[in-house]
Amino acid sequence: MTIYGEWSDRVLAGGTLTDEEGLAILNSPDTDLLQLLHASYKIRNYYFGNKVKLNMIINTKSGLCPENCGYCAQSIVSKAPIEKYAMMKKEEIIEGADRAVAVNAGTYCIVASGRGPVNRELEIVIDSVKAIKAKHQDMTVCACLGILKPEQAKRLKEAGVDRYNHNINTSAAHHESITTSHTYDDRVNTVNHAKEAGISPCSGVIIGMRETKEDVIAMARSLHAMDADSIPVNFLHAVDGTPLEGTNELTPLYCLKVLCLFRYINPTKEIRISGGREVNLRSLQPLGLYPANSIFIGDYLTTAGQEGDRDRQMLEDMGFEIDLEPLNKEAVVN
């Protein structure tokens, strides 16, 4: 048995990795990658079998954001030539849910740019979710609307929102290098407000923003401490016109090691390969599904994704099944 196999056995027995072991994964020789993927898959398969969850995003409000996040084409400091528009109408959001059902996406993510939702935007989302739930009862609806107040979280829960996404994006130590218009604690508090309202928490990261490997380990541990049910792992797709323009730190092999690390530290959680997988994992995208058990299909917020047919072919070729099970609401702590 390899050392990676010993670590996976320890995790399956309820143990965890040390920081030194986490660094060993990120620094592991490229020639060890197949052994590392095999050991990570042992954990993934134990909890999720051979199933993959499909998630689809709708960007209901684009640009017009007062925040200064260095990675984001929608922020006030970005000069990227993106499409900008105010909040979509209810009917458009419902149509997006219909498209998600048509491609077997079990989770529909309603995303809006901005620091947080104003009353009009919140009402549109609430009305849309009620209509979507009446039409597609088994669909998992995720909202991602920025920083939430406790009463807003409660209203989203009452409307039928199953999951709320608010990414920590990076480590607490590296946060101010990425944005100063809100704090790391603002993000953590929003996730906690969602949990307190009985909504399943979703929070993830962006890898490749000039962070250290110690930062990557800190991110994985923070999400474990927050008990995030779903963890999107994004890999920076540096958009021209943003402060991180030209940043290109990642290799496909390193991205795979990061996914393995997140599986070891968050063994029971949904690990989703998210934005930037196409440009960073490239031809090695299929291997990411050995540690991860979830992907986005279709386009992202301001960048294009891989064609849905190619994603479905990838899953079929790898022998994976699409997971259509609805979110287990009994697992959400009220």
Side-chain angles (χ1 to χ4, degrees), residues 148-156 189-190 192-194 196-197:
L148 274 191
K149 299 173 183 176
E151 58 270 24
Q152 292 176 320
K154 291 177 183 177
R155 293 198 63 202
L156 289 172
N189 289 340
T190 287
N192 286 334
H193 292 331
E196 289 161 3

Side-chain angles (χ1 to χ4, degrees), residues 157-268:
K157 170 64 176 179
E158 291 168 357
V161 169
D162 302 293
R163 178 163 280 167
Y164 195 84
N165 167 260
H166 199 57
N167 293 335
I168 59 170
N169 287 326
T170 193
S171 70
H174 193 54
H175 178 85
E176 288 191 1
S177 298
I178 303 303
T179 181
T180 56
S181 54
H182 60 268
T183 68
Y184 180 85
D185 286 344
D186 286 334
R187 290 189 168 270
V188 174
N189 289 340
T190 287
V191 176
N192 286 334
H193 292 331
K195 288 173 64 177
E196 289 161 3
I199 299 175
S200 171
C202 172
S203 188
V205 300
I206 304 173
I207 303 296
M209 299 195 295
R210 305 172 187 168
E211 72 278 348
T212 66
K213 290 173 181 173
E214 287 80 5
D215 286 319
V216 176
I217 294 168
M219 296 178 218
R221 291 211 186 282
S222 293
L223 292 168
H224 181 271
M226 291 164 63
D227 199 25
D229 292 330
S230 180
I231 301 175
V233 180
N234 299 275
F235 299 103
L236 181 67
H237 182 174
V239 176
D240 290 348
T242 64
L244 286 173
E245 174 183 346
T247 305
N248 184 22
E249 302 180 332
L250 302 175
T251 67
L253 298 180
Y254 179 71
C255 293
L256 291 172
K257 293 171 188 178
V258 168
L259 290 170
C260 290
L261 174 77
F262 272 75
R263 174 55 66 204
Y264 273 101
I265 294 180
N266 296 279
T268 66

